[in-house]
């Protein structure tokens, strides 16, 4: 079983920035789609951004002008650059790697990293 490793969370003031990283060891990273999701207290987990193997990206409407997802295939790492953070961005952020390999679908997740936006 593969577990992704997120890092970079923390406490930041409104208007501040953070960069989250997610490393995915032991997978075919360059063919995988990578996603960032978040779950706020009392709410369902939601998709924040995806980046596909060809570099295409998609974003939730609530973040698309403030967050940027990118990937470094040489490092098996996906990033989420977050700027102009708002209190409503407070959540546990999770990354996942998904796709199909050998006709078998896969979807691996990390343990999450906490982001708190507060003054």
């Amino acid at each position: 079983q593969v577990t992704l490793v997120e890092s970079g969370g923390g406490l930041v003031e409104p208007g501040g920035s953070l960069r989250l990283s997610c490393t995915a060891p032991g997978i075919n990273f360059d063919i995988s789609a990578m996603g960032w999701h978040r779950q706020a207290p009392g709410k369902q987990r939601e998709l924040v951004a995806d980046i596909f193997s060809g570099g295409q990206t998609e974003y939730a409407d609530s973040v698309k002008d403030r967050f940027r997802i990118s990937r470094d295939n040489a490092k098996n790492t996906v990033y989420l650059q977050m700027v102009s953070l708002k209190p409503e961005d407070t959540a546990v952020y999770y990354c996942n790697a998904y796709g199909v390999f050998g006709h078998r679908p896969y979807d691996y997740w990390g343990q999450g990293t906490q982001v708190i936006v507060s003054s």
Side-chain angles (χ1 to χ4, degrees):
Q1 182 66 22
V2 175
T3 300
L4 282 56
V5 181
E6 302 100 336
S7 62
L11 173 64
V12 63
E13 293 186 348
S17 301
L18 282 175
R19 189 177 80 154
L20 306 182
S21 300
C22 170
T23 301
I27 70 168
N28 294 292
F29 186 87
D30 55 344
I31 66 169
S32 297
M34 302 295 298
W36 283 99
H37 304 250
R38 67 186 181 186
Q39 187 166 19
K43 295 188 177 181
Q44 290 189 333
R45 190 175 297 188
E46 62 175 354
L47 174 67
V48 174
D50 268 9
I51 185 166
F52 299 95
S53 58
Q56 304 95 323
T57 58
E58 61 181 15
Y59 296 91
D61 287 343
S62 59
V63 307
K64 64 182 179 181
D65 295 327
R66 301 182 294 120
F67 292 8
R68 180 175 177 270
I69 189 170
S70 61
R71 62 191 295 158
D72 185 337
N73 289 347
K75 297 181 178 180
N76 276 33
T77 300
V78 63
Y79 304 97
L80 185 68
Q81 179 68 52
M82 306 184 293
V83 301
S84 302
L85 282 161
K86 304 175 180 180
E88 51 264 43
D89 295 317
T90 295
V92 178
Y93 284 70
Y94 300 89
C95 70
N96 73 319
Y98 62 99
V100 178
F101 184 73
H103 304 290
R104 291 185 177 182
Y106 60 92
D107 187 6
Y108 303 125
W109 289 79
Q111 298 294 319
T113 185
Q114 176 76 58
V115 171
I116 299 174
V117 184
S118 175
S119 55

